Amino acid sequence: MPRRCSRPTSVSLALLGGAVLLLGGCASAQRPDVEQVATRFTDPSGDPEARCDLLTPASLASFERSEAAPCAEAINQLPLDSGSVRSVEIWGGEAQVRLTGDTLFLTETHSGWRVTAAGCRMHADAPYDCEVEP
Amino acid sequence: MTGKRGGFLRDNGLSLAFGGLFVVTLVGQAVSGAADFNAQQIANGLEPVSMQEYVTSSSFGVDVMENWQSEYLQFFLYIFATVWLVQRGSAESKKPGDEGTESDKDQRVGPHATEDSPEWARTGGWRGLVFSRSLGLLMGALFLLTWAASSVAGWAAYNGEQLGQLEDPVSWFGYLGEADFWNRSFQNWQSEMLAVGSMTVFSVYLRQRGSPESKPVGVAHAETGETG
């Protein structure tokens, strides 16, 4: 079971500083796992079943419903752009990975990081519009 | 006058009782907060978290800190405000005419200090200056620290929620401009101001026999500064 990172409950300046370091340190420690899941999910040469296993149950169900097909059959039709990682944001049990041509959102589960949304396009002052989302 | 000394428990009953109540209510907040947090996790199709994960989360941190900062703000403001402002008839106020920091004689500092006065009250200088404002300064410092902690924990919790709603996270300065931060601050501040203002006025007309927070039962409404 992956360890979740602690987040700040500081009451003193020292602890406050420690909390900021904790946020940064925690995010750094989790960054490789988050990046790996995002790049594996968007890799078009990857095993479709394995890529589908990286979705959260809610997003998997939503995707299969919208495509009216099993995930493993539909996932290769998704217009995902694997590209290289441009930035990673990790806050608590949530993460965002920006690839060259795509943005993904992930959540931490007891089985590791899983994709909640992919194929996302930004909308000013509104949630991202995603090809796969819960 | 130090009063008749009893055993440790009796001499420190007030501090111990509120220390104990603090721990019990903090545990209550952790248990109920975790249940509420997990209900939201499940509703959002996410996994519930353990108690340890919850009490080390930014969600729990900001809920605790936003209340602590407002309590320390309340005491900081009240301690300094009651130096300069009075409320005729209130047990919480000095007598009208006594506004200000009062004379060294009244405050028993420097040459007017007694044998059992605290050392920094006797020595004067910068130590005397600091010690004579130490209560308010500590409350002010604790307010600033807990408010800063509240902003960091709130920022982390807010960004987690932003990502969960498929939106971009914000910087710490960006969070200070968000309605979430100011809503959390003001909703706590207003309740503290109401409580202090109410207590100031209620203690003019109402009594609690035996409590130093009240005037003696038979004292006139217009009498100020007496405690019973």
Side-chain angles (χ1 to χ4, degrees):
Chain A
M1 182 187 293
R3 191 181 71 81
R4 284 170 188 259
C5 279
S6 299
R7 282 139 278 178
T9 55
S10 329
V11 293
S12 70
L13 193 58
L15 288 178
L16 182 64
V20 174
L21 289 174
L22 185 65
L23 285 172
C26 214
S28 301
Q30 303 210 10
R31 184 177 169 131
D33 291 343
V34 170
E35 277 187 22
Q36 190 195 41
V37 170
T39 50
R40 277 176 56 208
F41 181 77
T42 52
D43 180 3
S45 64
D47 172 34
E49 292 279 358
R51 291 172 67 195
C52 289
D53 284 346
L54 295 175
L55 285 169
T56 61
S59 296
L60 175 67
S62 169
F63 177 58
E64 290 187 330
R65 202 165 44 244
S66 68
E67 297 295 313
C71 174
E73 287 177 19
I75 195 163
N76 283 333
Q77 311 305 317
L78 272 177
L80 300 178
D81 184 347
S82 52
S84 56
V85 175
R86 283 171 47 218
S87 69
V88 177
E89 292 272 1
I90 302 172
W91 292 95
E94 307 292 328
Q96 179 196 52
V97 179
R98 288 177 193 269
L99 303 174
T100 316
D102 204 348
T103 299
L104 294 93
F105 290 85
L106 297 89
T107 191
E108 193 181 16
T109 72
H110 291 124
S111 312
W113 288 91
R114 291 293 178 264
V115 176
T116 50
C120 300
R121 299 286 174 272
M122 190 163 63
H123 282 277
D125 298 325
Y128 279 67
D129 186 19
C130 304
E131 298 288 339
V132 178
E133 59 182 44
Chain B
M1 290 229 290
T2 53
K4 195 169 74 177
R5 293 186 75 88
F8 177 82
L9 289 179
R10 185 179 173 191
D11 282 352
N12 300 284
L14 195 56
S15 307
L16 292 171
F18 276 92
L21 285 171
F22 164 69
V23 172
V24 168
T25 51
L26 189 63
V27 169
Q29 182 186 349
V31 171
S32 56
D36 183 43
F37 185 84
N38 281 335
Q40 287 175 30
Q41 287 283 102
I42 291 165
N44 294 331
L46 302 172
E47 291 181 0
V49 299
S50 69
M51 179 59 75
Q52 186 193 344
E53 287 166 346
Y54 177 68
V55 296
T56 54
S57 73
S58 51
S59 296
F60 181 66
V62 68
D63 287 349
V64 172
M65 284 300 126
E66 72 177 24
N67 282 282
W68 287 17
Q69 57 89 12
S70 66
E71 302 304 330
Y72 287 121
L73 174 66
Q74 175 206 119
F75 282 116
F76 166 69
L77 289 179
Y78 203 57
I79 287 164
F80 277 99
T82 50
V83 174
W84 299 99
L85 302 175
V86 296
Q87 175 58 56
R88 186 179 294 279
S90 177
E92 297 288 318
S93 170
K94 298 195 289 190
K95 289 183 170 58
D98 286 348
E99 294 95 330
T101 53
E102 303 177 15
S103 67
D104 285 357
K105 187 181 175 190
D106 288 337
Q107 291 293 313
R108 292 185 236 167
V109 294
H112 305 282
T114 59
E115 218 171 69
D116 53 0
S117 293
E119 189 185 337
W120 282 26
R122 283 201 303 271
T123 50
W126 69 269
R127 289 182 180 84
L129 205 64
V130 169
F131 184 67
S132 61
R133 289 158 181 79
S134 55
L135 187 60
L137 289 175
L138 178 65
M139 292 296 178
L142 287 173
F143 160 62
L144 291 176
L145 284 170
T146 50
W147 196 28
S150 165
S151 75
V152 173
W155 173 46
Y158 182 79
N159 276 347
E161 286 168 17
Q162 286 285 102
L163 295 183
Q165 293 163 7
L166 310 185
E167 294 190 66
D168 284 328
V170 299
S171 67
W172 180 67
F173 283 110
Y175 179 65
L176 297 186
E178 290 289 338
D180 183 77
F181 175 65
W182 291 103
N183 181 40
R184 284 178 180 277
S185 295
F186 278 114
Q187 70 168 302
N188 282 282
W189 292 350
Q190 57 84 14
S191 65
E192 303 305 334
M193 302 310 131
L194 175 70
V196 166
S198 307
M199 183 65 186
T200 303
V201 175
F202 292 166
S203 72
V204 175
Y205 302 104
L206 304 175
R207 308 286 185 272
Q208 187 63 46
R209 187 170 181 150
S211 173
E213 298 303 308
S214 162
K215 295 188 288 190
V217 179
V219 166
H221 292 331
E223 190 71 38
T224 311
E226 264 205 67
T227 58

